[in-house]
């Protein structure tokens, strides 16, 4: 009996402790001040009440946004999240329209997974004359959705958002979204799409939070971000950018009312174009071992070609033929097969070796220096065309709307470079060795430390492999690492070109073909009777004579002539 009573006492204590725990979770509150960021940690099975008090009467609606590095957090209008009244994402936001005389607002944060979540949040307030982001939503689950949604793959990153509506006073009915398209409706609104790059090679939470705090509001994004494009209300609220795995990017939209000269910001969203949760090829382990090995060897070969390519002409031809064949065969098997990446890279390397050997053998057999120099010049032309279209020129509508215009322009630039150097083949060959060899070193460094310079050629590769890549904006960040790598590229290229021009100034323009030299030597031996080698039998003749000597019967020694009488 005593034992049973003790058991019930323990059960009662456990129930009381659990009730006390629930009460403590319910009473967990965080007070937000408008425009001030607040770091919040949400424990598992916990609901945090976000409270905004003393709201001024001129504020018509409020946006609460909450950002985490990669874990999802649930932001809800109610304590218990419900469909259509909550959003679960790494970047989430809710819009709350205020009622007359309302000075207090509460929203709720929780962790949807069985683990704690840390993030940063901020409250932004807007007046009745400013547009309401996402108020004309017909696509997403929230009634009013101020969020920017991101979807990415290896090639592209797409953002979407819901159209906005005109603002209204507290307690009034919002204007209709689609009854008319006049200037007094939401169709006069314009959308500025902004992009902000986080520091390179930095996947830390502090870096993300610092970036979010810099661009969360209108003033910060306009000051720090880059305006990509302005969309009209008649345009699709979708944009596509080039994916840069491992590089943090924040996207945001500012909706403007040109009549009232007011604006409001959507909730910014960020992406690294990779997964933090994946143990294979995740954000922390970007870059396959096969890729690092391949480009390390490429960088060493490029460094050799940069300084000694023209002197060792056969090695230069092999490297250029290898690059040319491996690149285009990789494109071919990627578009036509579903092989694993490592297999495709290995097969492309084998084909590259075959291409290099064929280029060397064509020069050895036929001795056409000009034909080989044209192939080498096409490598320089490919790099120059890629550089030109890597600039903002490549984002012009004429190139984004037509693949034909893009590839015709690319090919014209690519072909014009070797044509320019036809008059000076040696100088063109040495310039190619310096520029292309130095860029190979940059690609080798990129295998270990991210640099945007790799996207000079990677964007072209993506356009080869993806039919829809033409509509993508190919912006890439230029930060300290990139400027350092540009300096390394320029110094290596200039030093390589100058050194080879100085060393080769008194030597023949190009080394002679070994096969042609052998033909000339054979013809000289046939015609020059004063040359001792003219009287030496040919190699087959010497071999036949030696064989005859081995099988010939030896004559006995002694006198064989008859005696004279």
């Amino acid at each position: 009996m005593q034992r049973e009573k003790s058991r019930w006492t323990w059960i009662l204590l456990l129930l009381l402790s659990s009730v006390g725990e629930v009460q403590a979770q319910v009473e967990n509150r965080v007070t937000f001040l408008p425009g001030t960021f607040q770091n919040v940690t949400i424990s598992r099975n916990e609901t945090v009440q976000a409270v905004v008090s003393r709201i001024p009467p001129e504020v018509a609606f409020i946006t609460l946004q909450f950002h985490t590095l990669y874990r999802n957090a649930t932001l809800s209008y109610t304590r218990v999240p419900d469909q259509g009244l909550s959003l679960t994402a790494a970047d989430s936001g809710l819009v709350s329209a205020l009622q007359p005389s309302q000075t207090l607002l509460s929203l709720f944060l929780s962790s949807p997974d069985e683990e704690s979540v840390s993030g940063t949040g901020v409250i932004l307030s807007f007046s009745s004359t400013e547009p309401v982001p996402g108020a004309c939503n017909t696509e997403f689950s929230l009634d009013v959705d101020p969020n920017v949604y991101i979807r990415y793959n290896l090639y592209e990153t797409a953002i979407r958002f819901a159209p906005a509506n005109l603002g209204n006073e507290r307690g009034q009915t919002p204007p209709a979204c689609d009854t008319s398209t006049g200037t007094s409706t939401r169709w006069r609104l314009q959308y500025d799409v902004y992009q902000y790059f986080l520091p390179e090679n930095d996947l830390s939470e502090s870096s993300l939070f610092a970036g979010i705090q810099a661009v969360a509001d209108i003033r910060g994004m306009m000051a720090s971000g880059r305006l990509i494009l302005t969309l009209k209300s008649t345009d699709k609220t979708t944009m596509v950018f080039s994916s840069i795995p491992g590089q943090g990017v924040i996207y945001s939209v500012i909706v403007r009312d040109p009549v009232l000269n007011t604006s409001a910001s959507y909730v910014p969203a960020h992406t690294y174009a990779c997964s933090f949760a994946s143990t294979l090829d995740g954000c922390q382990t970007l870059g396959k071992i096969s890729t690092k090995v391949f480009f390390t060897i490429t960088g060493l070969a490029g460094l050799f070609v940069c300084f000694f390519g023209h002197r060792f002409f056969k090695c230069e031809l092999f490297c250029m033929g290898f690059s040319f064949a491996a690149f285009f065969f990789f494109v071919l098997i990627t578009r036509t097969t579903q092989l694993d990446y490592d297999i495709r890279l290995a097969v492309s390397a084998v084909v590259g070796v075959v291409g290099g050997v064929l280029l060397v053998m064509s020069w050895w057999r036929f001795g056409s220096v000009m034909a080989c120099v044209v192939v080498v010049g096409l490598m320089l032309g490919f790099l120059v065309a890629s550089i030109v279209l890597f600039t903002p020129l490549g984002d012009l509508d004429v190139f984004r709307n037509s693949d034909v215009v893009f590839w015709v322009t690319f090919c014209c630039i690519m072909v014009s470079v070797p044509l320019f150097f036809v008059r000076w083949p040696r100088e063109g060959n040495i310039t190619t060795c310096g520029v292309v060899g130095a860029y190979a070193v940059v690609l080798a460094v990129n295998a270990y430390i991210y640099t945007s310079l790799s996207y000079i050629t990677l964007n072209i590769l993506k356009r080869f492999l993806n039919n829809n890549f033409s509509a993508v904006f190919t912006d890439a960040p230029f930060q300290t690492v990139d400027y350092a790598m540009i300096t390394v590229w320029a110094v290596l290229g200039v030093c390589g070109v100058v050194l080879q021009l100085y060393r080769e100034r008194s030597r023949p323009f190009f080394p002679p073909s070994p096969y042609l030299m052998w033909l000339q030597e054979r013809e000289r031996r046939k015609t020059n009777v004063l040359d001792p080698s003219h009287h030496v039998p040919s190699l087959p003749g010497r071999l036949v004579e030696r064989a005859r000597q081995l099988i010939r019967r030896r004559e006995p020694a002694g006198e064989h002539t008859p005696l004279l009488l």
Side-chain angles (χ1 to χ4, degrees), residues 499-534:
L499 177 64
Q500 293 196 70
L501 287 176
Y502 177 79
R503 190 174 56 235
E504 303 294 326
R505 67 188 187 280
S506 59
R507 296 172 61 89
F509 277 17
F510 290 94
S513 168
Y515 181 74
L516 294 181
M517 291 180 62
W518 178 77
L519 289 179
Q520 294 173 0
E521 180 66 17
R522 187 179 68 172
E523 189 66 24
R524 184 183 63 81
R525 290 199 307 266
K526 288 182 179 180
T527 57
N528 187 5
V529 295
L530 298 179
D531 189 350
S533 62
H534 173 79

Side-chain angles (χ1 to χ4, degrees), residues 23 77 134 265 344 452 489:
Q23 183 67 22
Y77 290 107
S265 63
R344 282 181 281 142
S452 296
W489 187 7

